[in-house]
Amino acid sequence: MSDVFELFPTPVMRVEKLLSGAQVTALNQVLVPGATTQNHRSQALTHTAMLSASDRPELAQLHTLLAPHLKAFGKLLFGEPLTWHIKEMWVNVMETGGRQSVHNHANCFACGILYLSDVHPSSWTLFTRSLGGRDFVFANTNARAETGAFNADKWRSPQPEPGDLLLFPSYLLHEVPPNEGPRRITLAFNAIPERLDA
Ligand SMILES: [Fe+2]
């Protein structure tokens, strides 16, 4: 008999159909016209300004829907059901050929992506374990090597449907590979707990 212990895993939470089709349509109608800021790296990607729940009733309603899921996700990160605040939200409109390079969100603790359109398989959100940096890098990347939970460098999120939510810790690197499909719309947000007690 042998055991394998999966030490220190990273939680990523998916909530399917957080929003109904009608709620997705309503958010698109009020938010997408404001996505006029050009992304620095991708010509086919635009963003809205930073938004808050107090800006619009639709966003206040969204905040209410997100709250219990943030609390449950935060319990995985910090061990207790804390009160979470969404610092900012913004909408990303990615046309065919758009991409978002690898990044993390250093100014918060938890992040979310709410999908507001269908997403072509080419541009499902891609998470990266680490870029190496100053850490020791372990690699055996060759045609014979099988990829599993312990040696994978990347993890691709499951197929997102409009209204689905993905929550992840803010330090986790992620990207959107080049979108070979039609327009891809997401609402992203950053969240922090009211207080930590350590
Ligand atoms: Fe991001």
Side-chain angles (χ1 to χ4, degrees):
M1 156 137 186
S2 67
D3 292 310
V4 173
F5 302 98
E6 300 188 9
L7 301 189
F8 316 128
T10 304
V12 174
M13 179 183 280
R14 177 168 63 142
V15 180
E16 292 182 80
K17 296 282 175 206
L18 176 73
L19 300 185
S20 68
Q23 288 170 313
V24 168
T25 302
L27 276 179
N28 275 317
Q29 277 171 357
V30 298
L31 298 176
V32 169
T36 55
T37 303
Q38 183 70 51
N39 183 268
H40 296 304
R41 295 197 182 94
S42 177
Q43 288 297 310
L45 174 60
T46 58
H47 311 283
T48 61
M50 292 295 151
L51 306 168
S52 81
S54 58
D55 288 344
R56 305 194 70 105
E58 296 86 355
L59 291 176
Q61 188 188 17
L62 175 62
H63 193 286
T64 304
L65 286 172
L66 290 169
H69 300 289
L70 260 175
K71 183 169 284 216
F73 181 68
K75 187 167 186 296
L76 299 176
L77 293 179
F78 294 114
E80 62 174 322
L82 301 165
T83 298
W84 284 76
H85 298 294
I86 295 179
K87 290 174 61 214
E88 58 256 330
M89 331 182 204
W90 64 98
V91 168
N92 309 294
V93 178
M94 182 180 287
E95 307 295 350
T96 308
R99 60 187 294 271
Q100 177 62 276
S101 49
V102 178
H103 65 282
N104 58 14
H105 299 209
N107 56 349
C108 60
F109 290 81
C111 302
I113 301 170
L114 182 63
Y115 295 91
L116 295 180
S117 71
D118 287 317
V119 178
H120 186 269
S122 59
S123 61
W124 295 356
T125 308
L126 193 62
F127 291 87
T128 296
R129 184 197 292 270
S130 163
L131 295 177
R134 284 164 290 186
D135 297 335
F136 182 73
V137 175
F138 229 44
N140 180 49
T141 310
N142 62 59
R144 300 178 308 279
E146 285 177 29
T147 302
F150 300 112
N151 68 345
D153 289 326
K154 305 264 188 189
W155 182 79
R156 196 168 75 141
S157 62
Q159 177 175 355
E161 300 290 343
D164 286 0
L165 169 70
L166 211 55
L167 291 169
F168 52 96
S170 60
Y171 58 77
L172 196 57
L173 291 162
H174 56 287
E175 67 189 293
V176 182
N179 177 24
E180 296 166 17
R183 176 181 269 196
R184 173 195 196 278
I185 307 170
T186 55
L187 180 146
F189 58 87
N190 290 334
I192 51 171
E194 189 165 64
R195 67 188 298 270
L196 293 172
D197 177 18

